Amino acid sequence: MKLEILEPHCEWTADAVKDPALWTEWLTPAELAELDAATKANAGRDLRDVGKADFPLPTLGARIKRIENELINGRGFVQIRGVDRAAYSNDEMCMIYWGIGAHLGKPWAQNKHGHILGDVTDQGKSANDPTARGNELGGIKLGFHCDGSDLVGLMCLQTGVSGGLSAVANSVAIHNAMVREVPELAAELYLPQPYDYRGEQAPGEKPYYMIPVFTNWHGRLFVRAIVPYILASQRHPEAPTLTDRARDALQWLDDAAESGRWNVTIDFTPGDIQFINNFHVMHGRTEYVDDRAAGKVRHLKRLWLETEVLADRPPVFRRNVSSHWSDKAVISRLDAAE
């Protein structure tokens, strides 16, 4: 196959984005007033009944559209700050987050439960549990990976005692470096690879699915990289055996993301909201410490969104609204300290 350098305008290095001012969007008093008014106007409503039209943001809405373009066609990540966490209940914070998300795209089910607003917090799962997913694991570092939708959003309800920094790495720059430096490994990742379903496949389906790490779709790069899930697929005898070259390519990808050349960490404080382009930016986190007795438990809310800006996608990246994950739309409501 012919390998190409893709979307160089979306490449960045750690040095180029080390200044948080470049990717931090501080909300103005007027924009915060709009959020407050829309939140109060929807008080008590089921989030699932609240769409973009129900959550008017006359000024902030235009800014969100500019952010959306930057996410899809530019840097690929943003942090929104300024919401006073202490001024709102958990439910009100979720409404603020949901309303902003509604201006970016349509919610996408995140798991077999149909969660369209999910929780990222310690849910008592062990890292050795073959059904555990990253949002359920507490304390440990999570390596760089992609989620399944166009955009992934995270909102911080509460931090732990220490640690838990968010981390992002530029998939576009890493892909292009692979094409230049190790093209034989890059080519291997253009082939379909097996991913462990983590026990969330539909009844009667295979316990793994096949998708390439890299896809070139009309000159746009699409990345789906969850190295631990690819490696975990090998626990299923019926899954295709990973080639030695695929293992080497995955190791190269992992090492590049962790190298410090194309990744930065982002502090999360209560009220912060982060959005990431899954296809151009991988994300992870540093390890952290909770103190449940003291009520200091790291708790984020998560959105997966399908944007209207990205009008054309490879078939494997299109939202399957008839899948068993999307048969129901559920708001996850794990307890967190108010």
Side-chain angles (χ1 to χ4, degrees), residues 89-112:
S89 67
N90 285 347
D91 285 349
E92 290 169 330
M93 286 298 298
C94 288
M95 181 62 76
I96 289 171
Y97 180 42
W98 182 268
I100 292 174
H103 283 258
L104 281 170
K106 298 176 181 177
W108 195 341
Q110 302 169 22
N111 53 30
K112 67 179 181 181

Side-chain angles (χ1 to χ4, degrees), residues 30-297:
E31 291 167 339
L32 290 168
E34 288 181 359
L35 281 174
D36 186 71
T39 299
K40 289 177 178 175
N42 287 286
R45 292 190 68 187
D46 189 318
L47 293 178
R48 295 170 293 184
D49 296 329
V50 178
K52 179 179 177 180
D54 305 299
F55 204 89
L57 299 173
T59 303
L60 179 55
R63 188 177 185 183
I64 291 174
K65 291 303 293 183
R66 293 193 295 272
I67 289 171
E68 183 180 43
N69 183 65
E70 181 65 36
L71 289 170
I72 298 300
N73 298 308
R75 184 182 54 249
F77 72 97
V78 67
Q79 186 171 39
I80 299 172
R81 297 195 120 168
V83 175
D84 182 3
R85 171 68 181 97
Y88 296 101
S89 67
N90 285 347
D91 285 349
E92 290 169 330
M93 286 298 298
C94 288
M95 181 62 76
I96 289 171
Y97 180 42
W98 182 268
I100 292 174
H103 283 258
L104 281 170
K106 298 176 181 177
W108 195 341
Q110 302 169 22
N111 53 30
K112 67 179 181 181
H113 306 294
H115 289 159
I116 53 175
L117 181 63
D119 289 282
V120 181
T121 192
D122 186 354
Q123 298 177 43
K125 290 287 191 77
S126 166
N128 297 323
D129 183 342
T131 68
R133 299 177 62 189
N135 65 298
E136 301 170 320
L137 299 174
I140 64 172
K141 171 184 175 178
L142 291 183
F144 288 105
H145 62 281
C146 309
D147 290 337
S149 54
D150 297 355
L151 303 178
V152 58
L154 295 169
M155 178 188 68
C156 182
L157 283 177
Q158 186 171 279
T159 57
V161 174
S162 62
L165 297 177
S166 178
V168 294
N170 187 224
S171 310
V172 182
I174 293 171
H175 165 272
N176 290 344
M178 286 191 80
V179 169
R180 295 185 186 102
E181 299 173 24
V182 285
E184 71 284 358
L185 298 186
E188 190 73 16
L189 295 187
Y190 270 92
L191 301 176
Q193 304 296 332
Y195 289 72
D196 186 6
Y197 248 128
R198 313 305 285 171
E200 298 205 341
Q201 68 272 17
E205 286 192 3
K206 296 176 181 178
Y208 66 92
Y209 59 96
M210 302 292 294
I211 189 171
V213 173
F214 297 144
T215 300
N216 179 348
W217 189 253
H218 306 311
R220 185 182 286 273
L221 176 66
F222 287 78
V223 178
R224 173 69 166 170
I226 314 178
V227 174
Y229 288 11
I230 297 175
L231 298 178
S233 73
Q234 301 303 280
R235 70 190 178 96
H236 305 295
E238 64 269 45
T241 301
L242 290 174
T243 66
D244 289 342
R245 181 169 287 181
R247 290 181 180 274
D248 289 344
L250 293 171
Q251 188 63 59
W252 200 101
L253 179 74
D254 218 15
D255 290 345
E258 296 281 358
S259 68
R261 184 177 174 186
W262 296 293
N263 64 287
V264 291
T265 55
I266 303 171
D267 194 13
F268 254 143
T269 59
D272 288 349
I273 298 171
Q274 178 186 91
F275 288 103
I276 296 166
N277 177 346
N278 265 316
F279 307 135
H280 283 180
V281 175
M282 294 184 284
H283 63 282
R285 70 156 187 245
T286 64
E287 63 184 16
Y288 69 92
V289 176
D290 282 338
D291 185 344
R292 197 166 292 275
K296 292 288 290 180
V297 177

